[in-house]
Amino acid sequence: MLRGRILENKLSSLYKAGKIVGGVYLGRGQEAVSATLGTALIQGTDFFAPLIRDQAGRTAFGEPLIDCTRTYLGSVKGPMRGRDGNIHRGRPDLGMPAMISHLGAQVSVVAGMLFAKRLQGTLAGRVGATCIGDGATSTGAFHEGLNLAAIERLPLVVVVANNQFAYSTPNDRQFACADLVEKARGYGVGGFSVDGTDMLACVSVIGEAVRRAREGGGPQMVVARLLRLSGHGEHDDGSYVPAEARVDHYGQDCIEVAMQQLIENHFATAEEIVAWQDQIADEVQRAVAQAQQEPVPDPYQEDWTALSTRFPLDQPISQPIFS
Amino acid sequence: MSVTYIDAIREAQEKLLREDDRVFLYGQDIATFGGAFKATKGLAEKFPNRVFDAPISEDAMIGMAVGAAIEGMRPIIEMQFADFSSVAFNQIVNQAATHFYRTGMPIPLTVRLPSGGTPGSGPFHSQSMEGIYAQYPGLVVLTPATVSDAYHMLLDGVALDDPVIYCEHKFLYRWLKAKSINGDHLPIGQARITRPGKHATVVAYSAMVHEAVRAADRLVQDGWEIEVVDLRSVKPLDIDTILASVARTGRLLAVGEAFPWGGVTAEVVARVTEEGFHLLDAPPQRLNARDTPVPYHPKLWAAHRPTPESICEALRKLLSF
Ligand SMILES: Cc1ncc(C[n+]2csc(CCOP(=O)(O)OP(=O)(O)O)c2C)c(N)n1
């Protein structure tokens, strides 16, 4: 959680300093949900398709910080080599597909990864998970993907972070059911609700959903309620979020709640937490510095082909490079 | 004994299922029922747990195939009709087609699109979508016109590591027969001179190859020898074979069954004009379907798509320059 927050604070400053091209999208306020899911999964066995606000979950699942800074800063050494940026990154060979922007589209992809494992006879004990926003539950892709997973009874966990807004659009313009978790019943999948600002609640509820899926209970849907504590992206001040929502229970900062929980339950002392913060700030600084020193992509070095197959007779239309 | 075009497609899938554990079939009504056109007839019985009925969720069908391909499988997805792949468009062009470029991991999936018009099929069961998919980087688009190509190109397409859009023509399914499935087995990306000639080149693909050959047959009585080039794959496009043919004939007509705005025929004409302008003795021509939805009534349908008559007419115009 802390790694996600501290890294993203750094990304925000880099963006404001004009050091990042394109958008920066933060998971501020959603770290408890995301990190809990990432922690409940086992890299090497499970699959995780993170979305826009899952820096914390990515890190918890095992993505090194350098993958993030390289992708945001356009290093050729990053997993996307400057061909895609920011949150649109992944390591599909390590069970973490690279999201496309189109919302809802990852649900069926994770279902397919699990389906492959069933065909290969190695599904037992595995889980696939993806996160999604309240807005993305309105897409056809979400519906098709979850329904397909339910038919196949795949061990898929879909965590819906209901942060009350999709960009600027509030829940009441997005869906008409009283609570999104009601949809789980319609799909024939397990349904859970959790206070997304409460880390310990997330650990127990999301952990339980993952456990049920792992044990053969079919798809599970968790709806976490919280508030996005940033704009949609760093270009957006989120001024449309009413003041009441910010002071409401769900407007509380999950990181502060988590720190209190750690201290109250004697999992850590305040001093230890401060030491973690210092250590993480240092790690982040190093990941940024390293990515900044690395080469950016060179249009002359690119092969400019989107296919892995080379067709001997294919002569692509030649185009000079001006840069 | 003769084999039809759809037999070839079924046989190819059977061979793939038999020889490659990574292959599975997924599509609506394809398991016990054997598919709307029976392209998978009997395969579910022979290969239990390799042939699956899909829900009516074209988007999720392709998303699922992408995920399965990431994990090492080689899915073949049957769209019930090419027209319904519009619902899967996002997953095809944004997920499957961008994956190798973005991540370096290729996605070996094959989408079978029952394409093209048949009498009475109307606006939503008749479309030819090859041009739309060819426009996007990251896809291989195949348009077999012969029984042997239907067989070999499906085998070769599934063997590719990249996403393949395999456009199979519904009219050819049962109408087109051959003595055997064997043929010249050209590689993907190479066009074929279906019929040699010297006065004009017709570039066609899929069912239009047969219409072009008929038109060429008719023009023999007027003393014209028309060369017909079958593209076989519209992407990659074998521009060398096309240019070599135009170099012999000096005249080009590109024929396609898709809508007229842009598309494969426009690409062929543009490439020849750009790279072989000096070879042309006449302005290159295009003949496509009309710029309306594909009509239902056979009388309207027959006037909507290119036919031997309209191809002859276009060729006469081309030869008159
Ligand atoms: C299919 C699709 N339509 C529109 C967009 C543009 N878009 C990007 S994020 C976003 C809002 C997403 O809201 P939600 O799903 O609630 O997630 P949140 O941003 O709140 O985490 C929109 C509309 C998109 N990426 N995909």
Side-chain angles (χ1 to χ4, degrees):
Chain A
M1 281 179 72
L2 259 183
R3 273 205 179 75
R5 175 67 62 90
I6 293 170
L7 173 59
E8 287 195 336
N9 284 345
K10 183 69 188 174
L11 294 175
S12 170
S13 338
L14 287 168
Y15 174 79
K16 286 172 184 151
K19 298 269 161 59
I20 291 175
V21 242
V24 169
Y25 305 89
L26 306 186
R28 198 176 290 155
Q30 305 194 181
E31 291 93 340
V33 173
S34 186
T36 307
L37 179 61
T39 310
L41 302 172
I42 307 159
Q43 198 184 27
T45 300
D46 295 337
F47 305 131
F48 179 41
L51 226 69
I52 332 177
R53 309 197 190 279
D54 284 316
Q55 183 54 53
R58 288 171 181 270
T59 313
F61 186 61
E63 182 192 71
L65 297 186
I66 191 75
D67 273 16
C68 170
T69 56
R70 279 175 167 159
T71 307
Y72 265 106
L73 292 161
S75 159
V76 266
K77 296 195 169 169
M80 312 311 279
R81 300 158 294 158
R83 293 177 175 197
D84 207 341
N86 48 61
I87 51 190
H88 302 88
R89 65 177 192 274
R91 296 258 181 203
D93 51 334
L94 300 178
M96 196 168 71
M99 62 173 272
I100 64 167
S101 296
H102 299 65
L103 296 167
Q106 300 311 103
V107 178
S108 56
V109 172
V110 183
M113 295 169 86
L114 295 166
F115 194 77
K117 292 298 152 200
R118 175 177 289 160
L119 294 178
Q120 293 161 2
T122 57
L123 184 63
R126 252 184 238 270
V127 169
T130 188
C131 292
I132 206 159
D134 42 286
T137 64
S138 308
T139 62
F142 168 80
H143 163 75
E144 289 192 9
L146 190 49
N147 182 58
L148 182 151
I151 293 165
E152 300 293 347
R153 265 188 87 74
L154 292 166
L156 174 74
V157 178
V158 177
V159 174
V160 182
N162 180 3
N163 62 18
Q164 307 179 49
F165 291 87
Y167 206 150
S168 74
T169 305
N171 278 176
D172 64 358
R173 301 295 305 165
Q174 203 67 246
F175 53 87
C177 52
D179 189 320
L180 279 175
V181 78
E182 289 172 14
K183 295 196 176 186
R185 212 171 140 205
Y187 289 113
V189 305
F192 296 84
S193 296
V194 66
D195 175 351
T197 64
D198 178 340
M199 179 187 70
L200 291 181
C202 288
V203 169
S204 104
V205 174
I206 294 176
E208 174 63 13
V210 170
R211 194 183 62 76
R212 281 204 203 168
R214 207 183 287 289
E215 288 175 358
Q220 310 292 324
M221 173 170 157
V222 182
V223 178
R225 188 166 168 105
L226 36 70
L227 181 68
R228 195 185 69 207
L229 299 183
S230 57
H232 171 61
E234 284 307 86
H235 58 277
D236 171 31
D237 65 4
S239 52
Y240 42 82
V241 176
E244 311 86 75
R246 297 176 197 274
V247 296
D248 178 66
H249 169 80
Y250 294 104
Q252 65 179 345
D253 185 345
C254 65
I255 297 264
E256 283 165 21
V257 175
M259 287 180 180
Q260 230 172 331
Q261 289 175 332
L262 291 179
I263 295 166
E264 277 168 15
N265 291 285
H266 307 291
F267 292 132
T269 64
E271 295 72 37
E272 278 172 319
I273 294 172
V274 171
W276 292 345
Q277 284 171 315
D278 290 345
Q279 188 206 325
I280 293 167
D282 189 51
E283 284 171 26
V284 166
Q285 197 49 47
R286 274 186 280 126
V288 169
Q290 185 178 337
Q292 276 177 328
Q293 282 162 20
E294 289 173 351
V296 294
D298 173 1
Y300 293 95
Q301 297 297 318
E302 288 280 305
D303 60 10
W304 294 108
T305 167
L307 293 174
S308 72
T309 312
R310 295 286 171 273
F311 293 99
L313 296 172
D314 190 30
Q315 297 184 358
I317 304 155
S318 61
Q319 236 176 51
I321 291 166
F322 300 101
S323 62
Chain B
M1 254 291 284
S2 71
V3 237
T4 61
Y5 184 92
I6 196 155
D7 291 338
I9 292 169
R10 206 205 71 93
E11 294 288 315
Q13 294 182 104
E14 177 162 357
K15 182 175 163 68
L16 286 159
L17 285 166
R18 195 169 54 238
E19 295 178 0
D20 191 341
D21 282 350
R22 300 169 301 174
V23 172
F24 71 95
L25 313 187
Y26 194 59
Q28 289 148 21
D29 308 296
I30 68 163
T32 317
F33 187 64
F37 298 100
K38 302 293 170 213
T40 58
K41 191 173 168 207
L43 296 181
E45 289 92 90
K46 281 195 182 155
F47 303 95
N49 300 320
R50 306 274 298 284
V51 183
F52 303 94
D53 282 334
I56 306 171
S57 298
E58 286 78 6
D59 180 287
M61 285 158 62
I62 302 294
M64 188 280 223
V66 169
I70 288 175
E71 289 306 314
M73 303 301 287
R74 291 196 174 239
I76 302 177
I77 307 302
E78 176 177 305
M79 287 287 151
Q80 201 153 70
F81 286 80
D83 315 47
F84 301 125
S85 74
S86 56
V87 180
F89 190 64
N90 180 42
Q91 295 283 7
I92 295 174
V93 306
N94 290 315
Q95 190 91 260
T98 65
H99 202 268
F100 173 71
Y101 180 75
R102 296 168 66 235
T103 69
M105 180 193 270
I107 296 294
L109 63 81
T110 301
V111 190
R112 288 184 34 237
L113 298 186
S115 305
T118 46
S121 294
F124 311 114
H125 294 75
S126 302
Q127 294 170 27
S128 299
M129 303 186 67
E130 60 282 347
I132 288 175
Y133 292 114
Q135 158 84 142
Y136 273 83
L139 299 170
V140 172
V141 184
L142 308 180
T143 48
T146 70
V147 170
S148 157
D149 276 353
Y151 180 71
H152 290 291
M153 290 174 77
L154 186 50
L155 296 180
D156 294 350
V158 173
L160 292 179
D161 288 338
D162 293 300
V164 170
I165 306 296
Y166 178 92
C167 305
E168 48 193 61
H169 202 290
K170 300 196 295 291
F171 185 76
L172 302 182
Y173 274 162
R174 289 187 168 75
W175 175 82
L176 191 67
K177 297 186 179 76
K179 286 213 178 61
S180 126
I181 232 162
N182 299 319
D184 51 9
H185 194 174
L186 297 177
I188 286 176
Q190 187 173 335
R192 177 190 293 115
I193 311 282
T194 297
R195 176 199 166 98
K198 61 181 181 202
H199 296 121
T201 297
V202 180
V203 170
Y205 57 94
S206 190
M208 286 298 131
V209 171
H210 303 281
E211 306 297 353
V213 167
R214 283 194 194 128
D217 286 344
R218 290 187 197 179
L219 290 183
V220 169
Q221 64 199 34
D222 301 338
W224 298 116
E225 293 173 35
I226 307 297
E227 181 146 301
V228 177
V229 176
D230 172 4
L231 288 179
R232 301 178 66 251
S233 74
V234 303
K235 196 174 190 182
L237 182 70
D238 179 3
I239 194 69
D240 283 0
T241 297
I242 300 170
L243 285 171
S245 174
V246 173
R248 285 190 290 276
T249 64
R251 287 175 158 76
L252 170 68
L253 169 68
V255 181
E257 193 180 328
F259 300 127
W261 205 99
V264 177
T265 58
E267 181 68 14
V268 168
V269 167
R271 293 286 295 270
V272 169
T273 312
E274 207 175 340
E275 296 166 47
F277 192 67
H278 57 290
L279 306 172
L280 292 164
D281 296 329
Q285 306 289 310
R286 300 167 62 212
L287 186 63
N288 300 289
R290 291 181 197 264
D291 198 16
T292 67
V294 185
Y296 153 74
H297 197 278
K299 274 194 183 281
L300 295 178
W301 175 70
H304 181 265
R305 68 200 280 270
T307 55
E309 293 73 27
S310 63
I311 298 171
C312 280
E313 184 61 29
L315 279 168
R316 285 206 181 87
K317 181 179 162 204
L318 177 67
L319 291 160
S320 73
F321 281 105

